[in-house]
């Protein structure tokens, strides 16, 4: 079974803090993705990575950065957290026509 | 550009009755389409996918979807709803290749299915 794990299920941070969300996959997938999920908006792509140290911006990259130093690990970084970044963050890995999702991290920024 | 529209944000059905969740897509070429399900406090799980083979696609848990090019639709159906089907469902279209040759996936806004006892 493919497994995608995320470091935290729930996280509470203060405005201005630097926040790291970690994602690890065990299927040797080239591609990894970070989405945020908000009610009524579905999932929106923040960043994705197609290889170690390679990344591309998604549809809403502002305020975020990513790091992929190893194939199995993809990190999302909020450089200076703001209240409008309160959301559910979902990581996925996969190949063509297949994506596997982690359980999500619910981030609250106060 | 690729996009999907889920026509209903909420659907309620009685247990044992048919389920229909509607999705229309827009694509400048032959699309790859998916349905995902998200149960409360869980990650998304792939239900089924269409990738230009048979137009009627069968998925897990008795769900199926029919690709209709003339109607640009990919509606999800199930003959008889079960209480465990209560969840949020997302219709997804695969986008064009990016500069790196990777594909992005464009999600609909979701349909929340409620199953009444």
């Amino acid at each position: 079974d493919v497994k995608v794990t995320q470091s935290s299920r729930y996280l509470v941070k203060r405005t201005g803090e630097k926040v790291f969300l970690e994602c690890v996959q065990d299927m040797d997938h080239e591609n990894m993705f970070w989405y945020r999920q908000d009610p009524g908006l579905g999932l929106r792509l923040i960043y994705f990575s197609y290889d170690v140290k390679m990344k591309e911006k998604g549809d809403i990259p502002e305020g975020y950065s990513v790091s992929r130093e190893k194939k199995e690990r993809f990190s999302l970084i909020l450089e200076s957290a703001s209240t409008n970044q309160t959301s559910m963050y979902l990581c996925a890995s996969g190949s063509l026509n297949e994506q596997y999702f982690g359980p999500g991290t619910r981030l609250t920024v106060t | 550009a690729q996009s999907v529209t889920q026509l209903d944000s909420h659907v309620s059905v009685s247990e044992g009755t048919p389920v229909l969740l509607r999705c229309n897509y827009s694509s400048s070429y032959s699309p790859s389409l998916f349905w995902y399900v998200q149960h409360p406090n869980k990650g998304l799980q792939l239900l089924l996918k269409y990738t230009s083979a048979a137009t009627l696609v069968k998925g897990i848990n008795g769900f199926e979807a029919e690709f209709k090019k003339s109607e640009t639709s990919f509606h999800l159906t199930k003959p008889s709803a079960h209480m465990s089907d209560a969840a949020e469902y997302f219709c997804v279209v695969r986008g064009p290749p990016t500069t790196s040759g990777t594909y992005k996936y464009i999600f609909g806004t979701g349909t929340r299915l409620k199953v009444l006892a």
Side-chain angles (χ1 to χ4, degrees), chain A residues 4 9 15 21 23 48 53 55-56 65 69 79 99 103:
Chain A
V4 179
R9 290 301 303 272
T15 302
L21 303 182
C23 176
F48 63 99
K53 297 190 189 293
K55 62 188 179 188
E56 274 194 52
S65 62
E69 297 296 319
E79 296 292 340
Q99 281 196 302

Side-chain angles (χ1 to χ4, degrees), chain B residues 24-45:
Chain B
N24 286 351
Y25 71 90
S26 172
S27 178
S28 50
Y29 53 84
S30 184
S32 292
L33 293 158
F34 310 80
W35 276 98
Y36 281 83
V37 61
Q38 184 180 34
H39 290 277
N41 299 313
K42 296 280 180 68
L44 275 75
Q45 180 185 18

Side-chain angles (χ1 to χ4, degrees), chain A residues 9-10 31 33 35 37 40-43 45 48 50 56-59 90 95-103, chain B residues 32 34 36 38 41-44 46 49 51 88 90 94 98-105 107-110:
Chain A
R9 290 301 303 272
Y10 300 94
N31 301 324
F33 305 81
Y35 297 90
Q37 181 180 11
L41 296 178
L43 275 71
L45 181 64
F48 63 99
Y50 51 93
E56 274 194 52
K57 292 181 180 178
D59 301 315
L90 293 170
S95 53
L96 185 68
N97 293 326
E98 198 93 41
Q99 281 196 302
Y100 298 89
F101 284 84
Chain B
S32 292
F34 310 80
Y36 281 83
Q38 184 180 34
N41 299 313
K42 296 280 180 68
L44 275 75
L46 180 66
K49 61 185 175 185
T51 56
E88 190 156 23
F90 293 94
R94 196 184 74 190
T98 66
T99 52
S100 64
T102 315
Y103 291 89
K104 299 195 299 187
Y105 297 84
F107 284 72
T109 52

